[in-house]
Amino acid sequence: MKTVVCPGSFDPVTNGHMDIIRRASGLFDRVVVLVAANQEKRNHFTPVERKAMIEKVLAQDPSMSNVVVDLFDGLLVDYIAACGASAIVKGLRAVSDFEYEFQMAMTNHKLLPQCETIFFTPSPQNMYLSSSIVRQVGGLGGDISSFVPSCIHDEIRAKLLEEHQNMSR
Ligand code: PNS
């Protein structure tokens, strides 16, 4: 039974994230999407909101029945060791991601030598996509319908607009 963990902030989850999760679910027996804490980033959606949105998207796609979502605010390698996962799966969009992702992969491997990181290249239509782009465009009322799954679009849009309005007051 090969379990992989797909960790991230998912603040919010995008079509790019879901593409990586979908492809991992086709290759491995079980995928744990781990909504984890990134100390370097300020959160916009709460961890519970982020987890619930991913679960809502998964519930609409029976082909991903081997995917579960979990929350964790500790060290990633501790989670990996505790659940016996074979590897971490991450998307690597562009050269700009490389240094940061390489550093994390190397650190995780140093902390837990059996911990491998597998990088997936994104589908071409998602190369440029990120949660921060979604937040910027959505917060200013732009069209994010091609960036995020349709079943959570309205919820994301409403929250980003509300946050932007509160900041402008
Ligand atoms: O989507 P992100 O923000 O690029 O994901 C980064 C994340 C959450 C995977 C990373 O910050 C992480 O692993 N956080 C858990 C805490 C931890 O183990 N940090 C050390 C990583 S080397």
Side-chain angles (χ1 to χ4, degrees):
M1 176 97 168
K2 290 273 181 220
T3 296
V4 292
V5 173
C6 190
S9 309
F10 305 109
D11 192 29
V13 70
T14 68
N15 286 336
H17 293 129
M18 290 313 304
D19 174 46
I20 302 293
I21 294 164
R22 187 173 295 107
R23 287 157 57 198
S25 91
L27 282 177
F28 300 99
D29 300 312
R30 187 164 169 270
V31 178
V32 180
V33 178
L34 190 67
V35 178
N38 183 340
Q39 276 79 9
E40 307 298 314
K41 292 182 181 170
R42 181 176 83 82
N43 294 329
H44 299 262
F45 295 82
T46 68
V48 170
E49 284 172 334
R50 287 180 265 154
K51 177 174 182 274
M53 284 193 287
I54 300 168
E55 283 173 337
K56 195 169 175 181
V57 181
L58 292 172
Q60 302 219 327
D61 191 339
S63 74
M64 288 196 279
S65 59
N66 61 341
V67 182
V68 295
V69 191
D70 202 2
L71 281 178
F72 188 63
D73 66 0
L75 203 56
L76 180 57
V77 287
D78 289 343
Y79 187 94
I80 300 290
C83 79
S86 306
I88 294 168
V89 165
K90 293 222 73 181
L92 194 61
R93 283 165 305 192
V95 180
S96 52
D97 280 347
F98 184 78
E99 198 174 337
Y100 168 66
E101 295 294 348
F102 190 77
Q103 192 180 25
M104 281 200 293
M106 297 286 283
T107 306
N108 287 329
H109 191 71
K110 177 75 180 168
L111 294 173
L112 184 69
Q114 70 266 34
C115 178
E116 302 289 354
T117 300
I118 300 168
F119 290 111
F120 280 38
T121 50
S123 300
Q125 70 270 23
N126 297 320
M127 284 291 287
Y128 62 94
L129 200 50
S130 68
S131 298
S132 74
I133 284 288
V134 169
R135 292 195 304 268
Q136 281 184 46
V137 175
L140 293 168
D143 181 5
I144 56 167
S145 58
S146 61
F147 301 164
V148 297
S150 53
C151 64
I152 55 172
H153 168 270
D154 292 355
E155 183 178 342
I156 292 173
R157 188 177 152 83
K159 173 116 185 185
L160 293 176
L161 284 171
E162 184 192 340
E163 188 183 55
H164 183 73
Q165 278 163 10
N166 289 341
M167 273 169 45
S168 325
R169 278 198 188 123

